[in-house]
Amino acid sequence: MNTTAKASKAEVIKDASMLKQKEMMAKHYERLANAEANGEKVVSTFVPGNLNELLMCFDLVNNLPEVNAIQSGLRRQSGAYVMEAEKSGHSEDVCTYVKSDIGMMAKGNIGPNGKKLPNPDVLMLSYTGCFTFMKWFELLREQYKCETIFLQTPYMADGRITPNMIQYMVKQFKEDVIPKLEAVSGVKFDIDRLREYLRKSAQAEEDLVYILQSSKRRPSPIDAYFGGIYYIGPIFGAFRGTDDAIDYYRFLRQEVDQRIAAGLGPVTPDGQMGEEKYRLVVEGPPNYTNFRQFWKMFYEEGAVVVASSYTKVGGTYDFGFRHDPDRPLESLAEYCLGVYTNRSLPMRIEMLVNYINEYEADGLLINSIKSCNSFSAGQLLIMREVEKRTGKPAAFIETDLVDPRYFSAANVKNRLESYFQMVEQKRGGAGKGVAA
Amino acid sequence: MSTPQTSEIVARCQALYEDLNFTAAREWKEAEPGRKVIGFMPIYIPREIIHAAGMLPLGILGGGDQLEVIHGDAYYQSYICRIPRSTIELGVSGRLDFVDGMLFPSICDVIRNLSGMWKVMFPGVYSKYFDVPQNYEDEVGGRFYVNEMAEFRRDLEEMAGRKITDDDLRRSIGLYNRNRRLIRELYALRARTPWKAPAAEVYLVVRAGLVLPVEEHSALLEQYIAAAEAEDRPIRDNCRIVLTGMFCEQPPLNLIKSLELAGCYIVDDDLLLVTRWLIDDVPLDGDPLHNLSQAFLHQSESTAAKYEPDQEEKGKFLVRAVKRTGAEGVIFAAPSFCDPALLDRPMLQNVLTRANIPFIAFKYAENSGQMQPIREQAGTFADSIKLWSAA
């Protein structure tokens, strides 16, 4: 297998799996662009609480506004979109994913392939772990005037899933979500079709967990944050429950196995990573407008991320959850309930502490995102608690998802360099770790 | 005994408002052994259940503009609103050390996460995120909510060491029905004759209900309504506006005063929504939790923290409020970084534009000190309304 390839345009080194994923994404965006011509109906929905298997039962094509915003960020288009939304009355204080999406719509809704994204036939508002989702789709509904289906996922505030939560969600599926999807799509619900998709999901999920946990090794063969974002793409997006996802994760697993066998670390945009000096756990989403520059600040210093919370926003499979074809609706409910941002703050602290211990990390880095209160509110307490419980140093940086105005490269780099020095000092026993 | 003047009643309410040590609630607790106090944050919780357990529901609305936040700022980034940081300040500084439980209603991600922070920071205190349904079908969201309330009831029974009977709940519902009726009466009085019940006074009188037992507060409301109706006060040449967006972090009292001084009578608002969240009496017959659930699903206020399933209905509550109160415009006043209010605002403004209702918007924090820009903006708005009306 060809493990790496050079994309000539920006001279970015990519794994073969990344190229494979790029092809999958390109194909999906083409399908979206041609949906109307091909008589396919489109559903817009979200990553956390994504019900892809259920939506496929109705032959709906999955469009994810969050992913579109990420694509706009990576292509440096989101800044203009955000400002376009602010010009039309949206507050500078609120989520930039929302504003990027609304600004993109105002400017013609052109997708990453340069073709217009279709208007959704239905908005599947799966409200999981983020209040903003609810307002986001109310805003889109105002524009598109299409059917909007709401699925409320109760918050796992007390660290457990109760029977009342499951019953509530299953009732919503049966009495509201499924009948409305049937009406919009004209396709009758077939639970056996759902079971089959869920079976495929579980298969891909096994490989995903193997890949994400491969970073317990030294050196880690993957970067579980920057690289991890690529790895979660298919399963968090439009491919969960498909053969494509099974193929992709099997392929990726083989690629990771090859790196393990060769004793290699992750592949970065500048090629094979050098010596692994620091092993970090990262909490919070990344910045997308300066994604490569941000990543470089890590790998240039020999820092590899061995575990991250962001790669669990679309499912916490590493804790054992698998979609279960024998309990299809209950399983979808449990999936939604378990996503990272639907977990209470004490659960998040526990999870990060365990990551630091299990992945033998040097410490915790929090990338606090201005846009995302779901992640950000409480992170300073998380930092203190994780430091207290692990004795490992933590650091705090602030950026934004897709608003380039909130990425200050010099500040971030400065913070990171100080943090790595602190890790060195800690290793040398030069006093207790404190926040950078 | 003679009826007190509005000034006397308002002075008492202002003292309660300014007392960040919650002396009245402490005294209530100390008056009898075994009494418990349950704090709650905006936007809504069924206080009837707490009352039925023999406990005092205590509204915690942040620290206002008088509390110096020292510790609280260390827990939040600059882009998070102020109410959670001043609430933590209240907790860390010992001002809430008599509170036996804290409830964090489902309003936004910040308050939701604060529920978990409270568990970590104050492990000895009962702390609950109070989830409510966003699905308004009786057999779906309604059933979920009844079960959530039943769990809460069990928790309180454990704390109280006794059962909360259905009759206990019915009695409490009756008392809160009366309280809500009086507040509706007070709001109607203000909408009719806003010069007789200035918004800052109404605010203080209603807010007193968040620290006083409901029986005492209802008596106070009756006294204020009677006194306000009896007193003659000068009528100002003000326009009439509906104030919206202030359902969580509270504005400084000076901000409310400034709006009226700038020429805007506030004839409706969404301040302290817990006191009138349920817009009609909750029936006393039958299962009390079912009745509370039905009231929540079908007879409750619209606000940004709730999902509106019907696009046609989105924002209509504001148009109806304008018509009901004879208002001439709307002021959107949202706390900085308030996701629900700020995300909702463009949609509500579109509805008002279509209904030809003028509006302005600004942001504030609970400790905003500079009122001059707000006075100027509100004054200009009032002038422009009068000019349009004259034309």
Side-chain angles (χ1 to χ4, degrees):
Chain A
M1 190 194 316
N2 178 17
T3 54
T4 59
K6 187 175 275 190
S8 59
K9 192 179 166 191
E11 296 196 350
V12 176
I13 308 296
K14 291 196 169 176
D15 287 337
S17 62
M18 286 180 184
L19 296 175
K20 184 174 173 62
Q21 185 183 149
K22 199 176 171 186
E23 279 170 31
M24 289 163 68
M25 292 294 287
K27 210 167 124 190
H28 184 69
Y29 273 109
E30 279 301 306
R31 189 178 167 203
L32 275 171
N34 298 320
E36 199 180 338
N38 293 336
E40 290 194 299
K41 291 196 170 160
V42 174
V43 55
S44 287
T45 192
F46 293 111
V47 168
N50 177 9
L51 303 168
N52 201 46
E53 301 88 346
L54 185 67
L55 300 174
M56 288 195 299
C57 290
F58 300 96
D59 297 328
L60 295 165
V61 191
N62 179 328
N63 178 38
L64 296 153
E66 289 157 292
V67 175
N68 297 340
I70 290 170
Q71 293 290 339
S72 300
L74 291 168
R75 287 170 168 73
R76 307 277 178 118
Q77 293 165 333
S78 56
Y81 292 157
V82 168
M83 283 195 277
E84 182 71 23
E86 288 177 0
K87 262 199 303 190
S88 66
H90 293 269
S91 170
E92 64 272 22
D93 289 358
V94 301
C95 173
T96 52
Y97 270 171
V98 179
K99 288 185 287 187
S100 176
D101 189 34
I102 285 171
M104 186 169 91
M105 205 191 314
K107 284 179 171 280
N109 229 5
I110 305 302
N113 56 359
K115 296 180 183 172
K116 188 180 176 306
L117 286 165
N119 290 353
D121 297 282
V122 54
L123 299 168
M124 179 66 239
L125 168 46
S126 179
Y127 165 52
T128 306
C130 169
F131 175 86
T132 296
F133 286 161
M134 190 167 91
K135 295 288 120 183
W136 189 345
F137 270 14
E138 280 189 350
L139 285 160
L140 292 196
R141 182 182 63 183
E142 188 188 35
Q143 299 294 317
Y144 292 122
K145 298 182 173 46
C146 63
E147 177 71 83
T148 305
I149 307 173
F150 189 104
L151 173 73
Q152 183 186 6
T153 302
Y155 183 58
M156 223 204 296
D158 295 325
R160 65 198 161 91
I161 294 173
T162 65
N164 191 36
M165 293 175 180
I166 298 285
Q167 283 160 19
Y168 178 41
M169 293 194 70
V170 169
K171 261 184 173 290
Q172 289 180 82
F173 281 128
K174 287 183 176 171
E175 296 187 21
D176 198 36
V177 176
I178 290 173
K180 282 180 177 164
L181 286 170
E182 283 183 326
V184 168
S185 66
V187 176
K188 186 136 183 61
F189 176 58
D190 174 358
I191 200 157
D192 289 328
R193 195 173 165 190
L194 178 61
R195 289 183 208 278
E196 183 55 26
Y197 292 140
L198 294 173
R199 196 168 288 117
K200 289 180 181 179
S201 294
Q203 207 176 327
E205 286 156 6
E206 283 295 327
D207 284 335
L208 171 73
V209 170
Y210 176 87
I211 292 151
L212 290 178
Q213 293 187 337
S214 69
S215 52
K216 288 182 179 174
R217 295 167 182 274
R218 285 179 187 266
S220 168
I222 63 163
D223 184 287
Y225 185 53
F226 298 102
I229 284 157
Y230 288 93
Y231 306 150
I232 59 175
I235 209 153
F236 283 13
F239 297 95
R240 207 179 67 215
T242 66
D243 289 326
D244 277 344
I246 293 173
D247 292 346
Y248 170 78
Y249 285 101
R250 190 182 301 134
F251 184 78
L252 179 59
R253 182 173 177 157
Q254 288 166 359
E255 196 177 82
V256 169
D257 276 339
Q258 284 183 348
R259 286 211 289 272
I260 292 170
L264 295 173
V267 175
T268 75
D270 286 328
Q272 191 61 49
M273 185 167 155
E275 184 196 353
E276 177 185 291
K277 291 184 190 163
Y278 309 107
R279 294 169 64 85
L280 305 179
V281 170
V282 173
E283 145 75 13
N287 164 270
Y288 284 107
T289 56
N290 297 67
F291 186 78
R292 192 178 159 196
Q293 185 184 13
F294 191 26
W295 189 356
K296 193 171 185 174
M297 291 177 193
F298 288 73
Y299 63 74
E300 273 190 345
E301 298 286 340
V304 64
V305 181
V306 290
S308 66
S309 56
Y310 184 62
T311 51
K312 314 297 158 22
V313 289
T316 47
Y317 302 107
D318 54 340
F319 298 153
F321 171 81
R322 298 289 179 275
H323 283 93
D324 182 356
D326 295 329
R327 300 166 54 251
L329 297 181
E330 291 81 359
S331 176
L332 283 173
E334 284 164 4
Y335 157 74
C336 292
L337 285 158
V339 301
Y340 180 70
T341 45
N342 203 52
R343 288 170 177 259
S344 71
L345 206 100
M347 292 175 88
R348 288 170 61 188
I349 292 169
E350 187 82 16
M351 184 169 159
L352 294 166
V353 166
N354 289 342
Y355 279 164
I356 287 180
N357 293 331
E358 288 171 16
Y359 289 74
E360 297 179 342
D362 294 301
L364 174 71
L365 177 76
I366 295 179
N367 183 33
S368 180
I369 292 292
K370 175 189 173 284
S371 273
C372 188
N373 285 342
S374 178
F375 260 103
S376 301
Q379 279 177 328
L380 285 157
L381 179 66
I382 290 177
M383 183 174 78
R384 289 178 187 202
E385 285 297 311
V386 172
E387 276 189 325
K388 195 166 82 184
R389 296 185 201 181
T390 63
K392 298 281 171 65
F396 204 84
I397 54 175
E398 292 180 277
T399 69
D400 190 58
L401 294 162
V402 293
D403 190 340
R405 294 173 296 185
Y406 295 99
F407 186 83
S408 170
N411 281 343
V412 172
K413 193 166 170 46
N414 195 18
R415 276 281 167 114
L416 285 175
E417 284 172 356
S418 302
Y419 179 57
F420 297 137
Q421 282 172 15
M422 199 195 324
V423 171
E424 288 289 356
Q425 282 175 353
K426 184 85 182 169
R427 281 175 181 166
K432 281 186 161 181
V434 288
Chain B
M1 195 178 116
S2 63
T3 305
Q5 298 288 301
T6 53
S7 56
E8 292 170 57
I9 300 165
V10 171
R12 184 182 172 218
C13 295
Q14 176 129 10
L16 290 169
Y17 164 77
E18 288 170 356
D19 179 10
L20 291 174
N21 285 313
F22 304 99
T23 309
R26 286 176 188 271
E27 286 174 354
W28 178 89
K29 183 173 174 170
E30 285 161 9
E32 279 184 32
R35 278 185 168 178
K36 291 194 162 38
V37 175
I38 305 293
F40 65 89
M41 292 198 70
I43 198 169
Y44 169 75
I45 52 112
R47 292 175 294 170
E48 291 87 342
I49 304 174
I50 302 170
H51 183 272
M55 300 176 187
L56 179 70
L58 174 69
I60 305 293
L61 300 169
D65 58 355
Q66 297 303 309
L67 181 71
E68 189 182 2
V69 173
I70 301 164
H71 307 285
D73 277 340
Y75 290 89
Y76 286 105
Q77 303 89 322
S78 57
Y79 50 78
I80 306 277
C81 56
R82 186 170 152 103
I83 187 171
R85 56 187 85 221
S86 62
T87 302
I88 282 186
E89 188 74 28
L90 291 173
V92 171
S93 61
R95 289 174 170 91
L96 300 177
D97 58 5
F98 68 105
V99 173
D100 303 282
M102 275 291 280
L103 303 178
F104 301 86
S106 168
I107 179 167
C108 71
D109 296 331
V110 172
I111 300 300
R112 184 199 68 182
N113 287 6
L114 182 58
S115 71
M117 293 173 73
W118 215 264
K119 283 181 195 291
V120 174
M121 295 176 73
F122 306 100
V125 175
Y126 171 78
S127 166
K128 183 175 176 65
Y129 172 72
F130 195 82
D131 218 348
V132 293
Q134 299 282 4
N135 174 300
Y136 309 116
E137 299 295 325
D138 294 349
E139 281 305 305
V140 186
R143 183 161 293 195
F144 169 73
Y145 189 44
V146 165
N147 290 337
E148 288 295 298
M149 284 192 287
E151 186 184 306
F152 179 49
R153 179 185 187 168
R154 284 193 295 275
D155 289 350
L156 292 186
E157 285 174 341
E158 204 172 298
M159 285 172 78
R162 70 166 176 86
K163 284 277 173 204
I164 302 169
T165 66
D166 283 357
D167 281 339
D168 291 335
L169 282 165
R170 286 187 197 106
R171 186 175 159 273
S172 299
I173 290 170
L175 289 168
Y176 277 95
N177 278 344
R178 177 172 170 243
N179 191 262
R180 283 186 285 265
R181 276 200 298 273
L182 287 165
I183 290 174
R184 282 199 294 273
E185 199 180 313
L186 175 58
Y187 267 60
L189 165 70
R190 183 179 64 170
R192 256 189 339 265
T193 50
W195 57 91
K196 280 179 175 279
E201 289 190 7
V202 170
Y203 177 74
L204 289 170
V205 169
V206 174
R207 184 158 168 169
L210 271 60
V211 296
L212 294 176
V214 63
E215 301 87 339
E216 197 179 334
H217 184 242
S218 291
L220 186 146
L221 283 166
E222 279 179 333
Q223 287 180 339
Y224 180 81
I225 291 167
E229 279 177 332
E231 279 177 32
D232 281 329
R233 299 206 205 187
I235 302 174
R236 290 171 183 271
D237 183 23
N238 281 6
C239 70
R240 302 159 64 91
I241 62 99
V242 170
L243 186 61
T244 188
M246 297 176 155
F247 47 81
C248 183
E249 181 173 320
Q250 298 298 288
L253 196 57
N254 267 343
L255 196 157
I256 300 172
K257 287 180 181 169
S258 294
L259 293 177
E260 292 209 325
L261 285 172
C264 299
Y265 276 138
I266 299 165
V267 292
D268 200 4
D269 60 57
D270 60 357
L271 292 156
L272 310 170
L273 267 186
V274 65
T275 62
R276 49 191 201 289
W277 180 266
L278 303 182
I279 56 181
D280 208 346
D281 279 0
V282 179
L284 299 179
D285 296 334
D287 179 353
L289 294 188
H290 173 77
N291 292 342
L292 282 170
S293 168
Q294 288 290 301
F296 180 90
L297 296 180
H298 307 300
Q299 296 290 329
S300 61
E301 287 283 353
S302 295
T303 183
K306 278 170 75 176
Y307 176 62
E308 173 51 69
D310 180 1
Q311 171 62 26
E312 291 302 311
E313 269 299 301
K314 183 72 196 174
K316 288 286 167 58
F317 74 95
L318 214 43
V319 176
R320 283 196 280 269
V322 167
K323 287 186 179 154
R324 187 180 63 242
T325 57
E328 297 154 285
V330 172
I331 293 182
F332 289 91
S336 294
F337 306 108
C338 175
D339 275 346
L342 292 169
L343 285 161
D344 224 32
R345 198 174 67 186
M347 291 182 277
L348 301 183
Q349 290 178 341
N350 289 341
V351 172
L352 293 184
T353 301
R354 285 196 291 275
N356 213 17
I357 297 168
F359 56 84
I360 56 167
F362 60 79
K363 292 189 292 184
Y364 67 90
E366 63 179 8
N367 64 336
S368 291
Q370 286 293 325
M371 291 303 145
Q372 188 59 21
I374 288 171
R375 266 206 298 269
E376 284 172 8
Q377 198 182 349
T380 308
F381 185 53
D383 291 346
S384 68
I385 283 176
K386 282 177 212 153
L387 282 171
W388 292 336
S389 301

